[in-house]
Every structure is written in structure tokens, then in C-alpha cells.
Amino acid sequence: MASEKAKELARKQKEQIRAEKLRKKNSDDPKDWGRWRQFTEAYKRTNEIDPSTRWWMLGVAVGVIVVIAAIGLLTNLAWWAWVPLALMSALLGAMLVLTRKARTAMITRYAGQPGSAEVALQMLNKRRYSYDLGIAATRELDLVHRVLGPGGIVLIGEGAPGRTRKLLSEQERRHGQVSYGTAVTTLMIGDAPNQVKLGDLQKRIEKMPKVLAPFQVTEVQSRLKALHLRNQMPIPKGPMPTPKGMNRAMRGR
């Protein structure tokens, strides 16, 4: 009797394992994909936007192999020593090219759409920076986002400049009431003068002068949570584009 129950339990476990494998195989969530599928999906999406991706990857890979092969031959190094190194280095070089191209492609794809700032904000160092999307909005989907990090509080606006600057000014005033001297910087996404291009947003934030130590960032974050609860503003209905799938594919998560 016990043996029959054990067999039945083992059968059910095998069925569950098969069902889970099938679910992951047909899943559209990058978290369920294997490394190879993540790589191929990222390549396909990037190449759709920038067809030169394949040639850059191939060129870098071939160049790396040629350089290492030349060094190996000139130094009379055994082939079994430099061939594996050349292949692995070529693969690494191609993946680095794909990573850079994928980031550029994501920015090109989402630029000008509501919520596009998330493309750049996802590239920030998660250990040093945190961000909140859409802390203020209009019905026309003009948005204000917030970043907290060593550079203090950064409020980022995207949308029609007239409406968005009004939102930014209001949020700057509210944040100034709870920041207790912490720097509050406002940035506007766009291509016009005095605006920050989407592709430059990450670097602009990371290059800001450091005004907060890690423990101070934690303190300010607690104050901002209280501010968010008091002044919580409903986001207009309707989905905002999310580039997380492509980004996760590149990060292997």
C-alpha cells in the first residue's frame, strides 16, 4: 500500500515538473526563459530596430579572434591554449556590443511615449538609487517621476513643457517641505534647449554632485513615503509602455 502511494506521489511530481517546463517554454515572461533564449530574444528585438547590430557583433567577434590568434602564433603558444580563449573572448565582445545596442534600441523605441523615462531609470545602479514612477500626472499623461540617490531628490518631467513644468514646480515645493535642506533638482525630458535627452538621463543623474550619504538617503526615503501617502495622486487610466521585458532579457533575470 505504501509503495503504491509512493509511486503515485512520484508520478504526480513528474507531471508537475513536465507542466512547469512546458509553461516556461511557452511563457512570454523573460524571467522564465533560459539564458540562450534571453540572448536570442534580446538580439531579435534589437536587430528589428537597428539592423547594423549583427554586423557590429560579427565584426567585434572576428576582430577579437584575429588579435588573439596573432598573439598566439607570434608567441608560439599552443593552439589548445589560445583557441578557447579566442572563442570565449569573441563571445564576450559580441555580448557587450549587443548590450550597448539594446540600450540604444530601447531608447529609440520608447522615446516620446508616456512613461519612457523608465527606460533610463532602470539602468541606474539599484544599490545607490531608487525611483518612483508617475508621482504626479495630468489627464494628458504628462508625468513627473522621482529619483532618490547620492545627488539628492531628482524630479523628472515628461510631456508638454507648459503643463509639465507646472507639475514640476508644484512637486518641487511639496518635496522641499519635507526634504529639510536636501537638494531637490528638476529635469525635463526632451530635445529642446535646457532639456535632457532620454538617452542622456541616466548619466546626467549619476554625474550629479554627491550631497547625501547612504544613511541620509534612507532617512529622506522615509520622509518621502509619508509625503506620498498624504499627497497620493491617481494616475490616469490606461497602460503605460513598459520596457522591463527587454531589459530583463539583457540582464538575464
Side-chain angles (χ1 to χ4, degrees), residues 192-209:
N194 299 323
Q195 295 182 347
V196 181
K197 293 183 180 180
L198 181 61
D200 298 333
L201 183 60
Q202 176 200 2
K203 291 182 179 179
R204 176 68 175 271
I205 294 173
E206 292 179 340
K207 289 184 177 180
M208 292 177 63

Side-chain angles (χ1 to χ4, degrees), residues 143-200:
L143 301 167
V144 173
H145 314 294
R146 179 178 63 216
V147 175
L148 177 62
I153 301 169
V154 184
L155 301 176
I156 302 161
E158 58 172 317
R163 295 188 300 261
T164 308
R165 291 194 184 283
K166 184 178 178 180
L167 275 180
L168 278 172
S169 298
E170 182 181 341
Q171 290 301 316
E172 184 179 14
R173 177 181 57 80
R174 288 182 175 180
H175 284 73
Q177 293 173 351
V178 299
S179 63
Y180 298 99
T182 301
V184 180
T185 305
T186 60
L187 300 175
M188 185 74 192
I189 295 177
D191 297 325
N194 299 323
Q195 295 182 347
V196 181
K197 293 183 180 180
L198 181 61
D200 298 333

Side-chain angles (χ1 to χ4, degrees), residues 219-239:
E219 291 177 0
V220 174
Q221 195 168 35
S222 300
R223 298 186 203 131
L224 293 181
K225 287 180 180 179
L227 175 68
H228 179 68
L229 291 175
R230 290 202 308 270
N231 301 305
Q232 196 166 17
M233 180 177 181
I235 297 297
K237 294 182 179 180

